[in-house]
Amino acid sequence: MAEFMRLKRGSVTRRHFLAVTGLGAAALLFGGAGRTSIATSKGSPLGKKVSLATWPNYHDPQTFEDFTARYGVEVDISIIGSNEGMMKALESGRTWDIIVPTQYAISPYFHRDMLTPLDLRLLPNLDIGAHSDRFLKPGVLAGAFYAVPKNAGTTGIAYNTAQLDPVGSWRDFFDRAVTEASGKTIVHDYQLTAIGGALVALGHGFNSLDPAELGRAEDLLMQVRPHLLAVESDYQPAMRTGEAWMTMCWSNDAVQMHRDVPEIAFEIASDGGEIWTDYYAIPAKAHNKPAAHALINHLIDPDIAAREHIVHGGTATDSRIRALLPPEILSDEIAYPDEAKLTPLEFGLAVVMTDPNRAEIMNRFRAARG
């Protein structure tokens, strides 16, 4: 690690780095398995526009305005609601320069040759030592970095305390959805969490692929479907106006909503659910890879990222960012919960993303009449 940082600072040559660290580390830095980065020239023009596919309510708009002011490159933002939807769009020919996949989606992208290896020389703001291995490893495949961490979080339940008593489990969530929260509940338009929440409510694993268990989860989803306000991943507007009283919710959204509307509370379900980490990655067919590297480097600058975290409420994985956050942010139990609450949670698995049975169940759930 010390030699890597010396190389990034330019105090040693690449030849020296290769000699003292070996080919494995060299592959990690410069790309592996015959894959190379196109964006290798520091003098490459950045063009006029760079596009980013990201999640709802996930950035401070000022960050992109500052990038445009500094580099003269416009940032075109697209909002996505699921990793599956983003992959389907890319497979159908949609192009973005940067995407924000969750950890379990990186491997499926890689095995379909849909990502380009990152050129770490163009990401001087990345400090590998500032991240623990559990956050870095999902982005490293075949000895090269294909994604770098953005932030982490959990998936739980947001509810309006002025309308509902505490909602502490997924079983409770689905029970309330057909009773006092009927017509006021939102379920994610995202098979990992929609089906995962139903599975957990029935006592099964969040990532289950068992046909019988999935069948029971589909039955539960279909029972609740007529009672839902919406199947939607951008649920903040309805929760803020009071049109919705309860929703499946990512923790960063919960931080934002609770900050502005204190009666909106958030619970990590006691019976299980999801813990996640999101990343920045560059699709293989990106049009502007030099600008993509420049924007990622801008976004992971600790000062800029700290300001973003204060706005969007994600859990910082970079120790440098945590050191810059005020105590009231670090003490927020939504973004930084007690470790005991994380024990029953699961990371999404890659096989779940591409499982045809779960995809079909979600399609039938979406199509069912509310």
Side-chain angles (χ1 to χ4, degrees), residues 142-163:
F145 270 89
Y146 282 81
V148 293
K150 179 187 187 298
N151 54 254
T154 61
T155 303
I157 302 162
Y159 61 96
N160 190 318
T161 59
Q163 304 295 340

Side-chain angles (χ1 to χ4, degrees), residues 261-274:
V261 188
E263 58 264 33
I264 297 178
F266 176 79
E267 290 290 340
I268 295 173
S270 60
D271 46 2
E274 182 194 21

Side-chain angles (χ1 to χ4, degrees), residues 290-368:
H293 279 86
L295 180 55
I296 292 174
N297 190 58
H298 179 75
L299 288 164
I300 63 175
D301 177 283
D303 290 325
I304 293 170
R307 293 197 299 270
E308 281 235 315
H309 276 72
I310 291 171
V311 170
H312 66 62
T315 305
T317 64
D318 186 325
S319 61
R320 298 172 302 167
I321 296 171
R322 290 199 183 202
L324 296 172
L325 294 175
E328 60 268 25
I329 297 295
L330 295 173
S331 63
D332 187 333
E333 294 183 358
I334 298 176
Y336 298 92
D338 185 277
E339 285 292 326
K341 289 189 175 183
L342 303 179
T343 301
L345 304 186
E346 302 175 56
F347 281 101
L349 300 179
V351 291
V352 171
M353 180 175 179
T354 55
D355 180 68
N357 193 10
R358 288 182 65 132
E360 290 169 6
I361 290 171
M362 191 65 195
N363 287 336
R364 290 192 292 267
F365 175 58
R366 289 190 186 102

